[in-house]
Amino acid sequence: MKRITFLLSLIVLSIFNDIRAQSIATYDIVFTSTWNATDHTSIPPNDHWSRLVGVNHNANVSFIEISTMASQGVESIAENGINDTFEDVDVQNAINAGNAEQYIYGPSLSTAAGTITISDLEFTEDFPLLSLFTMVAPSPDWMMAIDALELMDTSGNWKTLIEIPVLYVHDAGTDAGTNYTSSDADVNTPISIFDGSNPIAPFNGNSIGSLTVTLTNVLSVEDVSPLGSPKIFPNPSTGNTTISNAQSIKNVEIYNILGSLVKSKNFENASKIDLNLRTLQKGMYVVRLSDASGNTKTQKLILE
């Protein structure tokens, strides 16, 4: 199973063709749980939180919204604390469509109260929204969820500190259970939240915790010596891909979403480069072009 902590951090200098400064921000994320018997009626046996998982993405995609239906991936997290469907379907589809950057895989918490920390997460400017999930366990379908938290301000600067002092429990709407250990009773209702306007037991409209997102570093990079204007087509591609205007290209490297080099080929004075990528799995890749002087250019390629 893939465990992506950062998507192509070494090779994606610019995913688009225009020449512009980019930056990579590093954040620490801390979820603090205040789940307790006084505020939340009682604490069940085997109380814990599932792994804190999530994704950073752009505004073209949403992974959870109040008053909408939960996806199968979100349902699996909320009901069972299992993240595979969310990772392999929800996040991967968004990555393939160019709307998400990475699946975030954090630790779990073996007690009701305590902290979950994810350190040194790196984000690029094109995917500045953060969504996070962890299951209240055991429970029918209850979870803590963060929807599209903005890491950049309206001026395009990375926020140095984001504090959410009050977090409420979300009901995924996929199970009709009313207490921590209710038996399975599937339903299909919209996602809701147990806040002050909906003070349902056992949480009684009380906060379940807080979240802090702290900026630790910003790395600015610039594609200062780009190649000309080579074009990669078709894109998306079924495997046969052409690079035009390629006279100056010396080397072509293909990287997968884990940042691993999966194909490399050298050329010299070729006016057109034809690549057969049919042996590669479907998904998003980055094509890194370089010339004899060391100038580079990166472009996104989707194989379907």
Side-chain angles (χ1 to χ4, degrees):
M1 189 59 61
K2 303 178 298 295
R3 298 293 175 241
I4 306 174
T5 58
F6 177 59
L7 175 65
L8 306 177
S9 61
L10 297 179
I11 64 169
V12 181
L13 301 181
S14 176
I15 202 68
F16 299 108
N17 291 335
D18 57 313
I19 304 170
R20 64 184 180 93
Q22 267 280 12
S23 63
I24 298 170
T26 303
Y27 281 94
D28 290 345
I29 297 172
V30 179
F31 165 59
T32 300
S33 168
T34 56
W35 184 19
N36 65 87
T38 300
D39 293 328
H40 310 117
T41 308
S42 64
I43 298 295
N46 191 31
D47 49 294
H48 65 282
W49 293 87
S50 69
R51 288 187 180 275
L52 182 62
V53 299
V55 56
N56 69 301
H57 54 97
N58 60 29
N60 295 330
V61 64
S62 178
F63 295 89
I64 180 174
E65 291 184 48
I66 303 301
S67 299
T68 64
M69 310 306 268
S71 68
Q72 288 188 346
V74 170
E75 176 181 359
S76 185
I77 292 173
E79 290 192 5
N80 303 302
I82 298 174
N83 313 308
D84 293 357
T85 302
F86 176 72
E87 178 188 3
D88 294 338
V89 179
D90 298 44
V91 175
Q92 191 60 52
N93 285 346
I95 290 174
N96 291 346
N99 291 323
E101 183 171 35
Q102 62 185 318
Y103 171 66
I104 297 169
Y105 182 76
S108 58
L109 177 62
S110 62
T111 56
T115 60
I116 299 177
T117 301
I118 306 176
S119 301
D120 300 326
L121 272 176
E122 295 180 294
F123 303 89
T124 58
E125 293 179 17
D126 298 316
F127 306 97
L129 304 181
L130 174 65
S131 294
L132 295 169
F133 306 88
T134 175
M135 175 195 181
V136 180
S139 74
D141 61 345
W142 302 331
M143 61 183 172
M144 186 284 294
I146 298 293
D147 173 34
L149 181 65
E150 296 182 353
L151 301 181
M152 301 190 82
D153 61 26
T154 54
S155 299
N157 299 312
W158 294 105
K159 296 179 180 179
T160 57
L161 179 65
I162 304 170
E163 294 180 298
I164 304 177
V166 175
L167 292 173
Y168 296 102
V169 169
H170 287 67
D171 184 341
T174 58
D175 192 299
T178 58
N179 58 62
Y180 290 118
T181 56
S182 295
S183 59
D184 184 56
D186 287 340
V187 292
N188 194 23
T189 60
I191 297 168
S192 61
I193 188 168
F194 294 158
D195 60 7
S197 64
N198 189 28
I200 296 176
F203 300 102
N204 303 322
N206 293 321
S207 170
I208 198 72
S210 62
L211 186 80
T212 302
V213 182
T214 306
L215 180 68
T216 61
N217 184 57
V218 176
L219 172 65
S220 295
V221 294
E222 187 172 5
D223 198 353
V224 295
S225 300
L227 301 179
S229 56
K231 295 179 175 59
I232 299 178
F233 62 92
N235 193 5
S237 169
T238 58
N240 290 326
T241 303
T242 297
I243 303 174
S244 65
N245 297 329
Q247 290 92 336
S248 62
I249 294 174
K250 181 74 173 179
N251 180 255
V252 176
E253 296 174 328
I254 312 292
Y255 292 84
N256 64 17
I257 60 171
L258 297 175
S260 299
L261 179 65
V262 295
K263 192 177 185 67
S264 178
K265 197 168 183 179
N266 292 320
F267 300 90
E268 187 172 357
N269 298 323
S271 60
K272 185 175 74 169
I273 294 173
D274 293 317
L275 299 174
N276 184 349
L277 305 178
R278 290 183 175 274
T279 59
L280 300 182
Q281 296 182 351
K282 297 179 181 179
M284 188 180 79
Y285 293 83
V286 165
V287 180
R288 185 174 187 268
L289 309 174
S290 57
D291 65 13
S293 299
N295 300 318
T296 63
K297 189 159 198 166
T298 57
Q299 295 189 30
K300 179 176 65 175
L301 172 65
I302 295 176
L303 297 181
E304 6 177 81

